[in-house]
Amino acid sequence: LDEERRAKQHWNDPALKFLEDKPKKTARVPEYKGQAPPNRFGIRPGYRWDGVDRSNGFEKDMLVSRASASARRAEDYSYSVADL
């Protein structure tokens, strides 16, 4: 008897609004459209960025040194297994 009464929906039930599905709100944040210099974290610039790179060059130097070290390791490995 109790379950039958609980299953019945009443028109003036104040808790009924909690059971209804609410539409999902998705706030779209605008993205920067254009080329951006790469960084070590892969973070894209904000949509208000004016495109001017105001860094001191550390990111660029670090990425160049990381790429050259990777290329050097690949070259060393290919040289070490070349005579096998």
Side-chain angles (χ1 to χ4, degrees):
L1 183 67
D2 188 41
E3 290 183 20
E4 290 176 13
R5 288 186 179 168
R6 286 179 188 242
K8 188 184 247 187
Q9 291 185 357
H10 299 283
W11 67 272
N12 60 351
D13 187 4
L16 189 61
K17 64 181 175 183
F18 298 117
L19 299 175
E20 295 174 354
D21 290 333
K22 295 177 185 165
K24 303 277 191 234
K25 294 181 182 178
T26 56
R28 295 274 309 159
V29 177
E31 295 180 358
Y32 177 74
K33 293 176 177 43
Q35 293 292 342
N39 59 47
R40 65 187 134 164
F41 303 113
I43 300 172
R44 300 210 15 97
Y47 71 98
R48 292 182 178 168
W49 185 53
D50 59 356
V52 179
D53 186 13
R54 294 179 177 86
S55 68
N56 60 2
F58 172 76
E59 293 279 338
K60 186 175 73 169
D61 294 342
M62 189 202 58
L63 291 173
V64 166
S65 67
R66 189 181 290 177
S68 66
S70 175
R72 191 174 334 107
R73 276 195 302 270
E75 185 180 340
D76 291 346
Y77 177 74
S78 65
Y79 179 74
S80 67
V81 297
D83 58 337
L84 295 178

